[in-house]
Amino acid sequence: MGLDFTVVPGYLDIILLGVVWTIAITLGAAILSFFGGIFFAVIALYGPWFVRLPFRAFEWLFMGTPLLLQLFLIYFGLVQIGIDLPAFVAGVIGLGLHFAVYNSELIQTAIIAVDRGQMEAARTLGLSRGQALRKVVVPQAVRDVIPPIGNNMIALLKDSALVSVIGVSELTLSAQRAIGNTYRPFEFYVVAAAFYYVINLGMEWVLRRIERRVQAAR
Amino acid sequence: MDIDLMMRVYPFFLKAAWVTVQLSIYTAILGLACGALGASMRLSRLAVLRFLGAAYVSVFRGTPALIQLFILYFGGPQIGIQLNAFEAGVIGLGVNIGAYMTETIRGSIIAIDKGQREAARTLGLSGWQAMRKVILPQAARLMIRPLGVNINALIKGTALVAAISVVELTYTAQRYIGSTYKPFEMFLLSGVLYMIIIYGTGQAIKWLDRRARIV
Amino acid sequence: MTDDQTPFLDIRNAQKSYGDLEVLKDISLQVQRGQIVAIIGPSGSGKSTLLRAINDLDPLTGGEVWLEDMQINKKLPHRQYEKHINQVRQNIGMVFQHFNLFPHLSVRGNVTLAPKMLKGLSDAECDKLAEEQLDKVGMLDRIDYYPSQLSGGQKQRVAIARALAMKPKVMLFDEATSALDPELVEEVNLVMKKLAEEHMTMVIVTHEMGFAEAVCDRVLFMDQGVVVEEGPPSKMFRNPDNERTQNFLKKHLANANR
Ligand SMILES: Nc1ncnc2c1ncn2[C@@H]1O[C@H](COP(=O)(O)OP(=O)(O)O)[C@@H](O)[C@H]1O
Ligand SMILES: [Mg+2]
């Protein structure tokens, strides 16, 4: 059986819908992982011990195990405790939490690296610790880690393919649907790869622009 | 938490963990080979090779590893490549991680190259001699840690072969979740095993790094 | 109302230890409203620690600090204390050796951050306030610059404007010109002189003896955690009684002339 790409156009609508869902899930998870990362970082550094310790364990577990395994846990685990989320939502949560932990690592390091004088200056003006963190320390830390967080977001896009295994109809699963009808895996997976590649380029372009803008504000 | 169940099934998880270890080892070896080849292409004097190296990195880092694996395993037969799931897993993941390792190795070589090459050349060493005797030994030390990061990612990445039914840790966890409806217990069992593998590898890499620094 | 006899800022028997190291040994200092006090002394003598105790940045281990009729370092449950101290600090401006401007905010953002958050001023009011204060320190034309685009002297002037924007009752300066290139010192000194003419109450830790003599009403010489000697600048700089003061000034002059 040779290759025959002429079957592809007939399934382009399914594939394009998959592209849309892939972008949606990537955006959703990226936003969750960004704000989740900030939240986790603040908790990990400043939370009371009874929050900090369980969080450290959670962080450790999430950094030391595969994303795919975590997706299974979240998807089936939530069902187990009676929460039946749509696959898309479970996918966003799973991907978002996974990368939030990685972002949190970066942000924690950056927060620690912010000069102590910044907190002091803010406190001297009468800001509370929380206000100083929110307005002075955390914004600087986040700005410092925009490039590595961007790399995490790129990784997130590619890992979004994994949510196909819990039934999210994104690009990979769309390709699989088309393959189910045509028995042409090579053609459709290559097409899917091409779309991922293009989305990836687009994302890198956007991230570079953001980085440049952040740099300019220094 | 169902400890009884965990005690009953853990031998299967142990067996699966051994498969994950084997997958990781073969993948790491193939990945390092691809990385070394990729890096030498990217640093080559020939524009064609440089282009091919760059294309390799761009394509394999620009698309999901899962899709690459599927193309190889499910699409391979269409172009005359017949592999069993384990072989496809090793080759697919190895070539994929090789693209990341290419950049790691290249980065370390460039970091050393700057001042050292000139110094070596003024002594009369040829370009290749300078690379072999002066730059590579230093770059090798520099790249241990970042390669360790690649290997850490690779171990977690072996979970992908669950999607082509290789009976490794994640596949086993998934199957037992399906049959026992105990996701937390199964996650914990496999998670602990993953962390042991990753921790052990991490220690080995730290040891290597320390040794390389003393020499 | 306070008459001129009751102190405005009152430090009573301040004591501070880090473990076994006693950094402040029973120091008392009264500052009247509008008075300008300079603290001089060798490095490590406890000047910064004393200054930072005033707004409780480094809490004392013994003694009391009062501003008007309010004790600054009073013992309160954590929550209440935080509320109290944040309120107090709004009345005490502080300027650091290394400026500590917020690099992610523009000059305007630096000056308006606290007023906006703590005094609930509108954007328009904030802008007016920022312009006023920046004009006073001669930095109005740089209002939309970022700290990284400013020289050290300019940064320090913005830092002063930032502190002034809270309308503090007291200003604390911790070696405000020590990190500056010599040619930039004067522009900051001029701003501080201007504040002196407006009768701002100030406590100034400094190594600039000429400046201290010209501007201050009183000079304290500290060494090893105690106030060795204090008096009007004319006496302190021309004929101090204490031998340690004499030695310090002699050494300092020798260094300054090198
Ligand atoms: N956080 C701290 N822990 C321990 N010792 C400190 C700390 N801060 C200051 N010290 C010590 O307190 C003494 C006084 O310091 P400081 O007030 O900064 O002196 P100055 O400002 O006069 O140079 C020094 O001996 C210094 O080492
Ligand atoms: Mg000091």
Side-chain angles (χ1 to χ4, degrees):
Chain A
M1 193 161 81
L3 298 182
D4 178 11
F5 280 90
T6 57
V7 296
V8 172
Y11 290 88
L12 212 53
D13 50 346
I14 299 182
I15 300 288
L16 284 177
L17 198 62
V19 168
V20 171
W21 278 110
T22 284
I23 292 173
I25 201 164
T26 301
L27 272 182
I31 291 167
L32 178 61
S33 77
F34 181 74
F35 290 104
I38 295 172
F39 178 67
F40 286 167
V42 172
I43 281 186
L45 291 175
Y46 302 103
W49 65 268
F50 56 87
V51 178
R52 218 164 50 221
L53 290 185
F55 176 75
R56 288 249 172 246
F58 160 76
E59 194 179 46
W60 191 62
L61 207 63
F62 259 56
M63 305 244 331
T65 55
L67 171 61
L68 190 58
L69 192 63
Q70 292 162 20
L71 287 174
F72 287 139
L73 172 74
I74 285 165
Y75 189 60
F76 296 105
L78 286 176
V79 172
Q80 186 70 16
I81 55 174
I83 305 172
D84 198 356
L85 288 175
F88 176 80
V89 179
V92 168
I93 293 176
L95 272 174
L97 280 184
H98 180 83
F99 282 95
V101 170
Y102 282 86
N103 288 344
S104 159
E105 279 285 302
L106 294 170
I107 296 169
Q108 282 177 50
T109 314
I111 286 178
I112 294 169
V114 171
D115 184 59
R116 225 183 91 223
Q118 292 291 311
M119 174 61 91
E120 278 186 358
R123 296 305 305 271
T124 301
L125 291 168
L127 270 66
S128 71
R129 193 178 157 92
Q131 287 171 322
L133 277 176
R134 194 152 45 84
K135 290 288 184 177
V136 175
V137 176
V138 170
Q140 288 180 55
V142 170
R143 190 195 57 179
D144 290 344
V145 291
I146 291 287
I149 284 186
N151 291 343
N152 279 352
M153 303 279 168
I154 298 274
L156 190 155
L157 164 67
K158 286 169 280 168
D159 279 345
S160 74
L162 297 193
V163 299
S164 61
V165 301
I166 58 168
V168 182
S169 305
E170 40 63 82
L171 184 48
T172 303
L173 195 59
S174 302
Q176 278 165 0
R177 295 241 166 83
I179 292 162
N181 287 343
T182 59
Y183 303 103
R184 294 222 159 259
F186 191 94
E187 289 86 340
F188 281 102
Y189 282 135
V190 166
V191 167
F195 275 109
Y196 275 114
Y197 189 74
V198 171
I199 302 171
N200 188 55
L201 285 183
M203 217 166 142
E204 276 177 359
W205 183 79
V206 170
L207 287 170
R208 261 200 308 273
R209 285 192 57 128
I210 293 175
E211 268 170 44
R212 222 172 307 139
R213 282 192 50 168
V214 171
Q215 288 295 336
R218 267 167 200 250
Chain B
M1 195 148 66
D2 195 340
I3 305 278
D4 271 359
L5 175 69
M6 286 165 78
M7 292 307 287
R8 244 181 305 129
V9 299
Y10 90 89
F12 299 103
F13 280 78
L14 274 183
K15 247 171 78 182
W18 176 235
V19 177
T20 292
V21 169
Q22 286 173 296
L23 264 171
S24 302
I25 292 172
Y26 294 136
T27 304
I29 292 170
L30 179 59
L32 284 169
C34 289
L37 189 68
S40 38
M41 281 163 73
R42 291 217 56 185
L43 295 168
S44 164
R45 253 178 306 166
L46 294 178
V48 190
L49 288 183
R50 277 205 307 276
F51 173 79
L52 285 177
Y56 165 53
V57 169
S58 175
V59 167
F60 281 82
R61 295 207 317 175
T63 57
L66 187 66
I67 296 281
Q68 294 163 25
L69 193 59
F70 284 170
I71 293 176
L72 180 64
Y73 183 62
F74 296 114
Q78 285 175 263
I79 53 170
I81 301 174
Q82 294 275 1
L83 297 169
N84 68 33
F86 187 90
E87 293 162 351
V90 168
I91 294 172
L93 295 177
V95 174
N96 174 266
I97 202 72
Y100 292 86
M101 289 176 162
T102 295
E103 290 304 86
T104 305
I105 294 171
R106 173 173 164 267
S108 309
I109 291 174
I110 289 177
I112 299 292
D113 202 12
K114 281 181 183 145
Q116 293 288 302
R117 174 178 296 267
E118 280 181 1
R121 294 301 295 270
T122 52
L123 291 174
L125 271 67
S126 73
W128 171 238
Q129 284 171 325
M131 177 59 81
R132 208 168 41 120
K133 293 286 182 195
V134 177
I135 296 164
L136 276 183
Q138 297 180 66
R141 279 174 219 171
L142 200 61
M143 65 181 75
I144 292 176
R145 259 167 198 276
L147 282 176
V149 174
N150 292 143
I151 288 174
N152 178 304
L154 166 164
I155 296 171
K156 285 176 267 181
T158 59
L160 295 195
V161 299
I164 56 171
S165 308
V166 177
V167 188
E168 44 66 80
L169 261 177
T170 296
Y171 183 83
T172 305
Q174 182 193 6
R175 241 191 36 207
Y176 279 98
I177 289 172
S179 61
T180 63
Y181 299 105
K182 299 278 186 197
F184 295 105
E185 284 84 344
M186 299 306 123
F187 175 75
L188 217 59
L189 261 181
S190 47
V192 165
L193 290 168
Y194 270 116
M195 289 208 278
I196 290 173
I197 298 170
I198 284 172
Y199 181 78
T201 313
Q203 290 306 98
I205 285 161
K206 268 197 196 134
W207 177 83
L208 257 180
D209 186 58
R210 252 200 320 271
R211 254 190 63 118
R213 255 158 239 281
I214 294 166
V215 176
Chain C
M1 283 308 297
T2 39
D3 61 57
D4 274 349
Q5 298 317 306
T6 49
F8 187 56
L9 176 67
D10 190 1
I11 300 171
R12 303 177 189 161
N13 309 103
Q15 196 277 338
K16 170 82 178 178
S17 312
Y18 289 108
D20 286 341
L21 179 69
E22 208 178 0
V23 178
L24 299 179
K25 302 166 185 163
D26 193 35
I27 291 189
S28 291
L29 165 65
Q30 279 83 38
V31 183
Q32 310 298 333
R33 186 196 292 274
Q35 216 177 29
I36 299 166
V37 176
I39 303 175
I40 60 172
S43 158
S45 55
K47 306 182 297 293
S48 296
T49 309
L50 180 64
L51 203 67
R52 291 156 60 89
I54 293 174
N55 61 4
D56 217 36
L57 223 45
D58 286 341
L60 292 174
T61 38
E64 295 178 358
V65 183
W66 290 72
L67 181 64
E68 294 183 298
D69 44 13
M70 156 126 75
Q71 187 182 352
I72 292 175
N73 65 338
K74 62 184 167 192
K75 294 273 166 288
L76 284 173
H78 180 73
R79 273 265 170 81
Q80 284 173 40
Y81 169 78
E82 282 292 310
K83 233 177 124 178
H84 155 81
I85 198 67
N86 292 335
Q87 201 64 44
V88 167
R89 283 176 182 158
Q90 295 184 32
N91 296 311
I92 306 176
M94 185 157 196
V95 176
F96 302 87
Q97 183 177 353
H98 295 287
F99 331 126
N100 294 351
L101 287 184
F102 306 134
H104 63 304
L105 299 177
S106 65
V107 165
R108 184 199 305 272
N110 268 276
V111 177
T112 57
L113 177 74
K116 195 176 284 181
M117 290 189 80
L118 305 175
K119 295 192 166 162
L121 299 189
S122 71
D123 284 355
E125 288 168 318
C126 279
D127 279 343
K128 194 165 152 270
L129 181 67
E131 283 159 20
E132 237 170 66
Q133 301 306 329
L134 288 169
D135 193 28
K136 183 179 273 178
V137 300
M139 287 295 295
L140 187 50
D141 55 332
R142 299 292 153 94
I143 191 166
D144 288 317
Y145 282 49
Y146 278 86
S148 61
Q149 299 167 309
L150 304 177
S151 73
Q154 292 174 326
K155 281 182 193 165
Q156 196 58 298
R157 286 189 279 150
V158 172
I160 293 172
R162 176 175 72 178
L164 290 176
M166 291 304 284
K167 307 276 155 96
K169 296 174 177 166
V170 185
M171 285 285 286
L172 311 176
F173 292 84
D174 192 357
E175 301 195 25
T177 54
S178 293
L180 298 178
D181 293 337
E183 70 272 18
L184 300 178
V185 167
E186 198 47 35
E187 63 185 65
V188 175
N189 281 346
L190 278 176
V191 170
M192 290 168 70
K193 272 185 189 145
K194 200 157 155 191
L195 288 180
E197 282 156 18
E198 294 171 7
H199 304 293
M200 172 65 82
T201 311
M202 298 197 269
V203 182
I204 301 172
V205 172
T206 185
H207 288 303
E208 307 265 329
M209 301 308 162
F211 175 75
E213 184 167 2
V215 171
C216 297
D217 303 309
R218 244 165 84 210
V219 178
L220 266 71
F221 172 64
M222 274 181 75
D223 194 13
Q224 299 185 344
V226 294
V227 176
V228 175
E229 186 175 356
E230 69 163 294
S234 51
K235 166 157 178 298
M236 287 294 284
F237 291 120
R238 312 247 166 237
N239 51 17
D241 296 331
N242 192 292
E243 199 178 332
R244 274 150 84 186
T245 318
Q246 291 162 5
N247 284 336
F248 171 75
L249 288 171
K250 216 183 289 168
K251 251 190 232 154
H252 196 86
L253 278 176
N255 282 339
N257 292 337
R258 248 207 311 240

